[in-house]
Amino acid sequence: MSAAAWISTSMPYLTPRREGQPDAWGAESAARGRRGGQRIVSAGEVDASDEVAELLSVTPGEAVVVRRRVMLLEDVPCELTDTYYPASLARGTRLAGTAKIPGGAVTLLAELGHIGVRVQEDVTARMPGEEEREMLRTEPGEPVLRLVRVTFDGADWPIQADVMTMPAHRQRLRYEIGIG
């Protein structure tokens, strides 16, 4: 792993922000003396793929809302993130638009009455597709990490599913788990 590798923990991205606080990515990168940003590629309703339908407990082909983003660190793409929401939860909200959401999507979800209480994450490694390689500016032969995160509410219902793809050589995922 290079000296420029990013160590990422999930917790800041699961907790609603207080009023006036920046989104978790902006805050995390600033705390490390770096500049993080994002470019929202698209947002709106799409038909759920088989994978997304399973993650959100909806029927394949059912409408879901997606926000597709490129996460940037010092203007260099470091992650492709597609975040999916059940349409019944996100339709007609800022989650379905391309404008930046003050405090981030988790904060908006909490304002809408949807608070995550449990998260499931799966991490795999694979070779990127050509479009992913171009968007992430990786060289041929460089693998990516794929992190799939589902956030569940107090009724154990999925309220958000994130599918993130990041260059493996620029990323380290850290998991800290309380015991007891």
Side-chain angles (χ1 to χ4, degrees):
M1 185 180 327
S2 74
W6 189 262
I7 299 172
S8 180
T9 61
S10 297
M11 194 55 70
Y13 300 93
L14 306 173
T15 308
R17 312 295 287 175
R18 291 188 311 272
E19 189 172 336
Q21 281 187 308
D23 63 84
W25 173 239
E28 181 181 15
S29 54
R32 296 179 187 198
R34 310 281 299 273
R35 186 171 34 85
Q38 60 180 290
R39 182 169 44 88
I40 300 170
V41 176
S42 64
E45 290 190 28
V46 298
D47 295 339
S49 66
D50 290 345
E51 178 187 36
V52 170
E54 183 177 342
L55 295 171
L56 291 177
S57 295
V58 300
T59 305
E62 185 176 329
V64 296
V65 169
V66 64
R67 289 175 64 85
R68 298 184 193 282
R69 296 167 291 151
V70 177
M71 308 308 290
L72 306 164
L73 186 60
E74 304 294 345
D75 294 323
V76 175
C78 61
E79 180 177 293
L80 307 177
T81 301
D82 292 348
T83 303
Y84 297 89
Y85 307 92
S88 60
L89 181 150
R91 182 181 283 135
T93 72
R94 289 177 285 171
L95 295 169
T98 57
K100 190 167 180 184
I101 299 172
V106 171
T107 301
L108 177 58
L109 281 171
E111 291 170 6
L112 296 171
H114 305 284
I115 298 172
V117 299
R118 181 174 73 86
V119 171
Q120 174 183 301
E121 291 187 353
D122 289 296
V123 180
T124 56
R126 64 172 172 77
M127 297 308 293
E130 187 62 30
E131 184 178 355
E132 291 170 320
R133 197 177 69 66
E134 288 176 13
M135 290 180 76
L136 290 169
R137 300 181 194 167
T138 60
E139 297 296 321
E142 292 180 344
V144 293
L145 296 176
R146 185 174 190 259
L147 189 151
V148 177
R149 173 188 301 142
V150 182
T151 304
F152 298 86
D153 66 11
D156 212 33
W157 195 252
I159 58 173
Q160 177 175 312
D162 299 289
V163 179
M164 298 165 263
T165 305
M166 56 203 87
H169 71 286
R170 289 189 235 150
Q171 193 65 248
R172 182 168 103 191
L173 304 176
R174 173 173 287 158
Y175 292 88
E176 297 180 17
I177 302 168
I179 299 173

